[in-house]
Amino acid sequence: MNILLTNDDGIKHPGILHLKKELEKEHRVIVLAPQSQRSAFSHNISIHNSIRIHKLDEDIYETDGTPADCVKFGVIGFLKEKIDFVASGINLGPNMGIDVFYSGTVAAAREGLINKIPSAAFSLNVWKKEPNFAAAAKEAVKIIDILTSKYYKNNEMYNVNFPNTDTFKGIKVTKLGKRVYNEVLIQRQDPIGKDYYWLGGEFPGYRNEEGTDFNAVENGYVSITPLSLDITYNKVYDEIRSDFD
């Protein structure tokens, strides 16, 4: 396969380098990734300004754009090859629960989905410890092979999260869990007395509920969550139709 590989941590980040190393053993890997950190950029795309793309080596490109830009620009004309799969990651830090709405890693895979290309986002559940990208990258290749051979049928994408370990207990198919953020707004003043703000706080928590991505990863399993573009709240949709139709 021709695999478009991107991330939101930057083209030199160990996560993408480990994933590239494992993927290119079986596939052609074309890297198009941000030149620097783009975490929490969500599905930001560059429509009001141009972006620049620089070739660093054969099949390796960096850009000053966003993760979603990397996929959008790549598949609609910059890359001449037909892309068979979009892989995003491996992200430093988990992308579970409502993280998927903030994540640039997940957004890149979602952009693949928008363009009807099989895609997956990969993240490692680690904050302060030494990240084990090597084990996650090897497992990611196996997951991609399984997904592409059997499970891409209805234009879906998959969000994959790994425990930070050498070995995994197995794989669980999960639902998005519930993230608990512990955020505070920090107000400070610059040297000339003008206010500025930082978003701070403690590391986020989660609700440990059976069947969720958080529960699976916390118990040593790889979590695979299928995602779609339709985020319609169908229960409410059905309830209010009679009043407005």
Side-chain angles (χ1 to χ4, degrees):
M1 292 191 299
N2 289 334
I3 296 179
L4 172 56
L5 176 59
T6 190
N7 71 351
D8 72 358
D9 288 322
I11 194 166
K12 296 180 181 179
H13 193 269
I16 196 172
L17 298 179
H18 277 279
L19 189 51
K20 176 180 181 294
K21 177 183 176 182
E22 295 301 325
L23 285 173
E24 64 188 6
K25 293 178 180 179
E26 301 180 20
H27 307 283
R28 180 182 178 188
V29 179
I30 303 171
V31 178
L32 176 52
Q35 63 188 20
S36 58
Q37 181 62 249
R38 295 290 189 272
S39 291
F41 264 55
S42 188
H43 212 112
N44 184 311
I45 56 174
S46 299
I47 59 174
H48 296 297
N49 55 282
S50 62
I51 72 167
R52 298 182 184 275
I53 301 175
H54 302 286
K55 183 175 182 178
L56 302 181
D57 206 337
E58 189 65 29
D59 286 342
I60 301 177
Y61 304 88
E62 70 172 12
T63 176
D64 55 359
T66 69
D69 284 337
C70 292
V71 179
K72 179 176 288 293
F73 283 71
V75 302
I76 67 171
F78 177 77
L79 299 176
K80 306 309 177 187
E81 300 85 356
K82 177 182 178 294
I83 299 301
D84 302 303
F85 190 89
V86 173
S88 182
I90 300 169
N91 190 66
L92 179 64
N95 279 304
M96 298 185 282
I98 61 173
D99 295 346
V100 299
F101 291 100
Y102 298 114
S103 169
T105 303
V106 177
R110 190 185 302 114
E111 186 61 38
L113 174 63
I114 290 171
N115 287 277
K116 298 183 179 180
I117 301 172
S119 58
F122 300 95
S123 304
L124 186 63
N125 185 38
V126 60
W127 294 107
K128 295 182 178 180
K129 297 180 179 179
E130 185 70 22
N132 190 341
F133 288 115
K138 291 178 181 178
E139 191 71 11
V141 174
K142 298 176 185 177
I143 290 171
I144 289 173
D145 288 344
I146 294 171
L147 292 177
T148 53
S149 65
K150 298 177 68 175
Y151 293 110
Y152 282 98
K153 299 177 180 179
N154 298 305
N155 197 31
E156 68 277 1
M157 61 168 283
Y158 293 88
N159 185 44
V160 182
N161 283 271
F162 300 97
N164 186 40
T165 181
D166 289 323
T167 58
F168 310 110
K169 291 182 179 179
I171 297 174
K172 287 187 178 291
V173 179
T174 61
K175 296 181 179 180
L176 293 178
K178 295 180 174 63
R179 171 68 80 192
V180 178
Y181 289 101
N182 304 297
E183 298 171 329
V184 295
L185 184 64
I186 301 171
Q187 180 179 354
R188 295 177 179 169
Q189 287 190 332
D190 63 21
I192 60 173
K194 291 188 176 182
D195 292 335
Y196 67 95
Y197 302 89
W198 281 99
L199 187 62
E202 300 176 358
F203 283 108
Y206 61 92
R207 295 182 187 175
N208 193 1
E209 299 173 336
E210 187 71 27
T212 65
D213 43 14
F214 292 107
N215 180 269
V217 172
E218 183 65 24
N219 286 287
Y221 291 87
V222 179
S223 163
I224 299 181
T225 306
L227 301 177
S228 72
L229 294 177
D230 185 359
I231 58 173
T232 306
Y233 194 173
N234 287 301
K235 180 176 181 293
V236 174
Y237 170 80
D238 291 335
E239 289 176 353
I240 69 174
R241 283 182 66 189
S242 61
D243 289 327
F244 292 97
D245 283 356

